[in-house]
Amino acid sequence: ALTPEQAALIRRYVPEVVVVYDGDAAGIRAALRGVSILSAAGLSVRALTLPNGQDPDDFVKAEGADAFRKLVDDAVDFVSFYIDMNHARTGSIEGRSEVAGELFAILRDLTDEIRRDEYLKQMGRALRVDEWTLRREFQKSTRDQGSRIAVHREDSKAAPVAVSLDDHTFVAVLLNHEPLLQRTKTALDGLPLGDGPTAEVLRGLFGEPGPDLTQRLESEGARNLYTAAANRTVEWDEKAETLVDRRINRFKREVWLAESEGIKEAIREAERLQDIPRVIELVARKSQLDKDIQSIGDT
């Protein structure tokens, strides 16, 4: 695991790092924290993947050092790379929102305002999101993150986030029954799951589940939830299926309500700019969201 101290040591010798991945998009998402640490140390970060899941040693033996050097020379900035690697998720509003949120976590650590400004412009173009809407969301996420840090500093002994019995049982059901895990993964595909122990555990289960997942979870609450759920045996019955479906709907409702609120602000901005086509597009999307929310009712 890369540490801030190691990143600072690298910065003493070079201004830029090229990260070479041999994994897929899910593996790259799991490695986001490392890129954030490099960026926070003041390093420019570019990235590349090697064909057929090769590591650098395999590639150099097969293709030669010059071929590897060319790949490094042609490596793109991490923002462009990340969006391209997650292209499959950018076909929906929910997917674009999730990718943007993941990149916001890195941009928040950049001290170079010019570079951050250019990255936000690139994100707007690549994700087909209005640039000013994207900037507002970035500022909002930065304020929210600042609030969480301030609370943590003021009360370092604050109680961990509470997890409901439903969520505890929900995770246990998914761990005990692979088909229900796949049902949940399919139903929530492309939806930003938000924060909290349950959402963090789900992201781990959807990505690369395995015996080392406990070590890969970042928060203590998520680790405790996963460990406790893994030690439970839950039968697959009608109650288990009902619980899974209800929790899926709750995740959807939370995401759709948040998006609906964001669209309200976007509509007001479009009306202020007298961008009628944009207003029509946003109103249509909000109408569909309201129907989706109504269709699942209270959960």
Side-chain angles (χ1 to χ4, degrees):
L2 182 69
T3 67
E5 291 76 16
Q6 289 169 332
L9 184 60
I10 294 171
R11 183 66 184 85
R12 288 173 55 187
Y13 296 96
V14 293
E16 181 182 63
V17 169
V18 178
V19 183
V20 183
Y21 290 100
D22 57 7
D24 57 8
I28 292 169
R29 285 199 295 278
L32 268 177
R33 184 172 178 273
V35 176
S36 182
I37 289 172
L38 292 169
S39 297
L43 288 156
S44 297
V45 182
R46 294 188 291 136
L48 64 90
T49 54
L50 296 175
N52 304 318
Q54 292 175 300
D55 62 28
D57 181 61
D58 293 333
F59 183 88
V60 170
K61 286 178 179 176
E63 305 294 337
D66 289 340
F68 183 75
R69 288 193 190 97
K70 185 175 188 316
L71 287 179
V72 172
D73 291 341
D74 294 342
V76 299
D77 65 87
F78 185 79
V79 170
S80 300
F81 170 83
Y82 191 76
I83 292 174
D84 185 58
M85 285 298 296
N86 287 278
H87 179 74
R89 290 199 291 159
T90 62
S92 67
I93 293 175
E94 293 81 3
R96 291 196 292 274
S97 175
E98 188 174 358
V99 171
E102 290 159 1
L103 286 171
F104 285 167
I106 293 174
L107 298 187
R108 277 196 297 267
D109 292 326
L110 284 180
T111 56
D112 187 333
E113 294 285 346
I114 295 176
R115 195 149 53 101
R116 184 163 61 196
D117 184 70
E118 286 301 314
Y119 283 152
L120 287 169
K121 288 179 182 177
Q122 285 179 225
M123 286 173 60
R125 290 192 296 267
L127 295 175
R128 304 184 301 283
V129 176
D130 176 74
E131 180 182 332
W132 297 110
T133 300
L134 191 71
R135 289 179 185 278
R136 282 197 301 272
E137 287 302 309
F138 173 70
Q139 290 167 357
K140 179 182 175 184
S141 75
T142 302
R143 286 195 301 270
D144 292 345
Q145 178 70 8
S147 298
R148 286 194 290 273
I149 292 172
V151 169
H152 178 71
R153 286 174 177 168
E154 289 170 7
D155 184 6
S156 60
K157 296 182 180 179
V161 177
V163 177
S164 70
L165 180 59
D166 265 7
D167 278 3
H168 190 286
T169 307
F170 172 58
V171 173
V173 168
L174 300 187
L175 288 173
N176 279 272
H177 306 292
E178 178 68 19
L180 290 178
L181 172 61
Q182 291 305 317
R183 179 195 296 188
T184 305
K185 181 177 180 180
T186 300
L188 299 179
D189 184 42
L191 284 179
L193 298 177
D195 299 321
T198 306
E200 186 179 346
V201 170
L202 281 183
R203 280 191 287 269
L205 292 176
F206 293 169
E208 299 177 19
D212 65 334
L213 179 56
T214 309
Q215 285 71 43
R216 290 188 279 115
L217 294 170
E218 294 189 1
S219 74
E220 183 180 357
R223 290 193 293 272
N224 290 342
L225 171 60
Y226 177 79
T227 301
N231 288 316
R232 285 185 61 185
T233 300
V234 181
E235 297 298 326
W236 183 347
D237 55 19
E238 185 177 339
K239 288 183 180 179
E241 290 198 23
T242 300
L243 171 63
V244 168
D245 291 338
R246 186 171 68 242
R247 196 61 187 89
I248 287 172
N249 284 340
R250 195 188 310 168
F251 271 115
K252 288 181 177 179
R253 181 180 175 80
E254 290 168 358
V255 169
W256 290 340
L257 283 171
E259 184 182 349
S260 182
E261 286 301 310
I263 288 177
K264 285 182 184 178
E265 183 180 345
I267 290 173
R268 287 193 291 269
E269 179 67 11
E271 288 174 339
R272 186 183 69 80
L273 298 174
Q274 298 183 357
D275 187 346
I276 304 304
R278 178 65 172 159
V279 171
I280 293 172
E281 176 190 350
L282 290 169
V283 168
R285 174 57 185 163
K286 187 176 185 309
S287 176
Q288 183 59 54
L289 278 173
D290 292 342
K291 289 179 181 176
D292 291 340
I293 292 168
Q294 187 175 12
S295 70
I296 61 175
D298 294 328
T299 56

